[in-house]
């Protein structure tokens, strides 16, 4: 299974927000493991209930947060499609919650106070993606695999772990990402065509006439 071509990375942009990086020794392997902890935030719940967000409002929220954190918006959408299909109330059998399927420990790690608030959940999920992209130096397959299986599993196998669920997940996100990029390129062309002025001139009809010498003459008035 080859997924790398679909994960051509976008330029890296430094994330916004306050984070504390903690380095500690893994008790099993003795290796130093870096993790990030978000400073606790005071919950400021959106007056609009998450389930009441219109599809376009939800898309705009995702795109804005992705842009703020310097993460490719197509990647965020691809992860959400694979995780919950945009269901803000989704709960997995393993306890992952919300639109980006954050487990409670990950939600706390990245400052999420309400996993069922769409904006709060997306902010936490995108922060996690930003951290993983930085941790793996822009390696999309490793970052996506870690989003599913955790950094420990990816570090242990130095790549995508040999778990059927994780391998299928990485493949699905890569497939979603390729489709999202293609759709985005088409939309960009359509928008550009709609806004650019049409400088082409309407062709003038050619008129034919017969002269006194019996010859046929053509002219473009």
């Amino acid at each position: 299974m080859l997924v790398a071509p679909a994960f051509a990375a976008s330029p890296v942009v430094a994330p916004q927000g306050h984070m504390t990086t903690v380095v500690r020794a893994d008790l099993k392997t003795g290796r130093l493991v870096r993790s990030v902890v978000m400073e606790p935030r005071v919950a400021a719940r959106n007056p609009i209930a998450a389930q009441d967000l219109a599809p376009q409002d939800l898309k705009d929220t995702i795109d804005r947060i992705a842009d703020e954190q310097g993460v490719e918006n197509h990647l965020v959408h691809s992860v959400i499609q694979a995780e919950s299909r945009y269901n803000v109330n989704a709960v997995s059998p393993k306890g992952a919650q919300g639109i980006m399927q954050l487990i409670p420990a990950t939600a706390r790690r990245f400052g999420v106070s309400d996993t069922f608030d769409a904006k709060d959940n997306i902010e936490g999920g995108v922060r996690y993606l930003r951290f993983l992209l930085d941790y793996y130096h822009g390696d999309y397959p490793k970052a996506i695999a870690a989003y599913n299986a955790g950094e420990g599993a990816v570090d242990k196998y130095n790549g995508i772990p040999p778990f059927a669920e994780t391998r299928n997940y990485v493949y699905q996100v890569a497939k979603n990402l390729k489709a999202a990029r293609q759709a985005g390129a088409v939309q960009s062309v359509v928008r550009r065509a709609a806004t650019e002025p049409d400088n082409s001139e309407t062709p003038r009809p050619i008129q034919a006439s017969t002269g006194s010498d019996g010859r046929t003459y053509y002219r473009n008035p």
Side-chain angles (χ1 to χ4, degrees):
M1 179 180 78
L2 188 61
V3 297
F7 285 120
S10 293
V12 175
V13 180
Q16 297 180 359
H18 301 286
M19 296 188 295
T20 300
T21 300
V22 178
V23 178
R24 63 180 183 277
D26 188 295
L27 296 179
K28 292 183 179 180
T29 65
R31 296 178 58 186
L32 293 179
V33 179
R34 183 181 70 165
S35 62
V36 64
V37 178
M38 296 297 300
E39 292 183 2
R41 298 183 303 140
V42 177
R45 188 166 182 112
N46 193 316
I48 301 176
Q51 58 268 28
D52 294 335
L53 283 175
Q56 186 59 47
D57 292 335
L58 188 59
K59 179 184 182 301
D60 292 343
T61 297
I62 294 167
D63 291 345
R64 177 180 57 77
I65 293 172
D67 184 62
E68 289 173 353
Q69 295 298 321
V71 178
E72 182 184 358
N73 67 332
H74 296 316
L75 176 62
V76 179
H77 282 283
S78 299
V79 168
I80 290 174
Q81 178 66 25
E83 289 286 352
S84 70
R85 296 179 182 269
Y86 294 87
N87 181 359
V88 299
N89 296 310
V91 178
S92 78
K94 295 181 180 180
Q97 301 172 347
I99 189 170
M100 294 196 73
Q101 290 290 274
L102 303 177
I103 61 174
T106 302
R108 290 191 298 270
R109 182 181 173 190
F110 289 93
V112 177
S113 57
D114 184 353
T115 53
F116 295 108
D117 178 89
K119 179 176 178 292
D120 204 10
N121 190 292
I122 294 164
E123 286 180 341
V126 175
R127 286 194 195 104
Y128 188 27
L129 282 173
R130 174 74 273 161
F131 166 75
L132 292 171
L133 288 169
D134 290 342
Y135 184 73
Y136 292 111
H137 306 288
D139 188 320
Y140 272 38
K142 284 185 178 180
I144 298 308
Y147 193 93
N148 176 262
E151 302 102 288
V154 174
D155 291 346
K156 177 181 178 180
Y157 292 99
N158 193 30
I160 302 173
F163 310 147
E165 176 189 335
T166 302
R167 288 184 177 274
N168 181 66
Y169 178 80
V170 174
Y171 171 80
Q172 189 59 55
V173 173
K175 181 179 177 181
N176 294 345
L177 181 57
K178 180 179 179 181
R181 285 173 171 170
Q182 289 175 339
V186 171
Q187 292 172 0
S188 180
V189 170
V190 171
R191 285 194 298 267
R192 188 163 58 248
T195 56
E196 289 180 351
D198 184 4
N199 296 321
S200 61
E201 296 183 0
T202 303
R204 298 179 181 180
I206 297 176
Q207 297 180 353
S209 61
T210 302
S212 57
D213 55 1
R215 295 181 178 180
T216 300
Y217 293 90
Y218 299 92
R219 66 191 183 93
N220 190 354

